[in-house]
Amino acid sequence: MSVSITRKYPRCIATISAGFEKGDFLVREEKGQRVYFDFFEEAFNYIAAKGYSRMAKVEEGEWMDLMESVHASVKGGMKYNTGRLLMVLHKPLIPQRGDEYDNGPRYGEEPEMGDAAMLPMP
């Protein structure tokens, strides 16, 4: 797996796929939300308005290969039509008020504290 997939900052990905009965294009985004569209432009504008942008070609290709591999690993095939993957988009994961995400050290990691570092206020 390439380093570009495992970047240090958290982010969300979304995909646009084609080939469905409910609509010609499907946007899959965070928290499993799926939205169908009749036109590609509608699908792209919908996801772009939520702050997603297209990945660089090389990174997008790596994600497409990864998803194809994951889908192929399901014994007996996928339960649902996965369609034809057209685009992979991403946006930085920015915590909202009340979210528990933080950039602090993970289990087994030592916190980085310089000479003038202060502990966060409770």
Side-chain angles (χ1 to χ4, degrees):
M1 186 179 323
S2 173
V3 173
S4 61
I5 284 184
T6 58
R7 294 189 186 232
K8 290 190 176 205
Y9 64 90
R11 62 185 167 162
C12 294
I13 65 167
T15 60
I16 300 177
S17 302
F20 302 92
E21 292 178 18
K22 291 183 181 180
D24 292 329
F25 299 97
L26 169 64
V27 171
R28 288 187 184 97
E29 56 178 315
E30 57 192 287
K31 299 180 182 174
Q33 184 170 334
R34 298 181 307 268
V35 184
Y36 293 90
F37 295 92
D38 292 324
F39 299 99
F40 174 80
E41 296 85 352
E42 293 173 334
F44 184 84
N45 290 340
Y46 168 82
I47 202 66
K50 291 189 161 212
Y52 287 87
S53 60
R54 189 171 188 181
M55 290 181 174
K57 275 286 193 195
V58 172
E59 187 175 9
E60 182 181 48
E62 290 173 0
W63 277 100
M64 287 183 168
D65 292 345
L66 176 65
M67 286 185 242
E68 184 178 318
S69 170
V70 169
H71 291 164
S73 72
V74 176
K75 193 171 186 169
M78 294 290 291
K79 183 177 179 179
Y80 300 103
N81 177 13
T82 57
R84 182 175 182 278
L85 185 57
L86 301 176
M87 289 179 98
V88 182
L89 304 99
H90 66 124
K91 74 174 181 177
L93 178 61
I94 302 170
Q96 302 299 315
R97 177 176 275 177
D99 283 354
E100 294 181 18
Y101 175 79
D102 71 301
N103 284 324
R106 301 292 178 239
Y107 181 76
E109 293 179 350
E110 292 292 324
E112 292 181 28
M113 299 189 64
D115 294 335
M118 296 178 61
L119 294 175
M121 296 295 289

